[in-house]
Amino acid sequence: MNGRAPKLRLRRWAGVWGPGAFVLAALVGARRQPGYSARGNHVSGLAATGTRSAVVMVPGFLALGAAQLVMEEPDPLIRRVVRLAGLGTVAAGLLRCSTVECPDPLSDPAATLADAAHSAASVATFVLWVSLPGLEARVVDDGAARRGQVVLGLTTATAFGVAGLTTALESPNRGLAQRLYLGLVFGWFIRGALRWDERVGEVARYQRGR
């Protein structure tokens, strides 16, 4: 039992250390990469081929992906979605952009097959993340908490749309828009880890009432 305790704690708090490792890698990577703009460039640019920042950003992607693959999640459906998102995060970290600008394969003729692969893995992961607050809302038995998850889901979906639009328009604020979206997603993960005991009870009551 004592041997299992550290592993259980590692999995239970994966919603904290996974996003934390990713954010730390992004902060350190941005300082390592000359000319990088957190406002104008996506986080993925820090993992791009040939960048000085990739040495820290690629492990950041892998840490975030691993956290989702081992994360303790009481609801089976949410757990499956998080696991798929974990695989997508790992793929996005390994299928690296060709340059720090991460050319958009839908509009930029300079985009390569690597850029298209990275974009596909990232978008698939982002869509899965958008679904998480709504999936949690269905198991929450407190009305105010359920409404909070619905609002968070709508806000996250809106932020995802804005991030996609700023990317398509090559906005100078596209990096900022993406970070706003990621902040909402990471907030969901962190809140879930902090409310672990409550969520176990909510899921148990939901399953009994089905």
Side-chain angles (χ1 to χ4, degrees):
M1 185 68 178
N2 289 339
R4 293 180 57 190
K7 293 181 180 179
L8 183 60
R9 286 195 295 271
L10 184 71
R11 297 179 63 183
R12 176 170 173 175
W13 292 104
V16 175
W17 60 258
F22 186 88
V23 170
L24 179 61
L27 293 173
V28 174
R31 294 180 64 86
R32 289 179 57 87
Q33 184 59 33
Y36 179 83
S37 167
R39 180 176 181 176
N41 295 121
H42 290 153
V43 179
S44 296
L46 294 171
T49 302
T51 57
R52 293 176 57 187
S53 51
V55 69
V56 292
M57 197 64 242
V58 171
F61 270 96
L62 298 182
L64 179 59
Q68 294 169 88
L69 293 174
V70 304
M71 188 178 298
E72 282 287 337
E73 169 52 53
D75 180 66
L77 178 56
I78 295 178
R79 184 165 59 245
R80 286 193 291 270
V81 171
V82 170
R83 296 290 186 267
L84 287 173
L87 292 174
T89 304
V90 170
L94 296 177
L95 301 170
R96 300 154 63 190
C97 296
S98 60
T99 69
V100 72
E101 288 81 14
C102 285
D104 185 351
L106 297 179
S107 61
D108 193 334
T112 66
L113 183 60
D115 294 312
H118 175 83
S119 178
S122 296
V123 170
T125 302
F126 287 179
V127 170
L128 291 169
W129 282 343
V130 166
S131 73
L132 293 174
L135 292 176
E136 184 175 353
R138 84 189 205 287
V139 304
V140 175
D141 48 17
D142 177 74
R146 185 183 303 111
R147 288 190 294 273
Q149 286 299 312
V150 171
V151 170
L152 177 59
L154 293 173
T155 304
T156 304
T158 301
F160 174 52
V162 171
L165 183 62
T166 55
T167 297
L169 296 176
E170 298 184 358
S171 166
N173 296 312
R174 59 186 179 273
L176 185 62
Q178 187 197 55
R179 283 165 171 80
L180 173 61
Y181 164 74
L182 290 175
L184 292 168
V185 173
F186 293 168
W188 184 89
F189 280 123
I190 293 169
R191 179 177 179 274
L194 295 174
R195 293 185 63 252
W196 166 255
D197 292 328
E198 295 175 56
R199 296 194 65 241
V200 169
E202 290 170 348
V203 172
R205 290 190 294 274
Y206 168 75
Q207 291 176 338
R208 285 197 300 268
R210 294 180 64 180

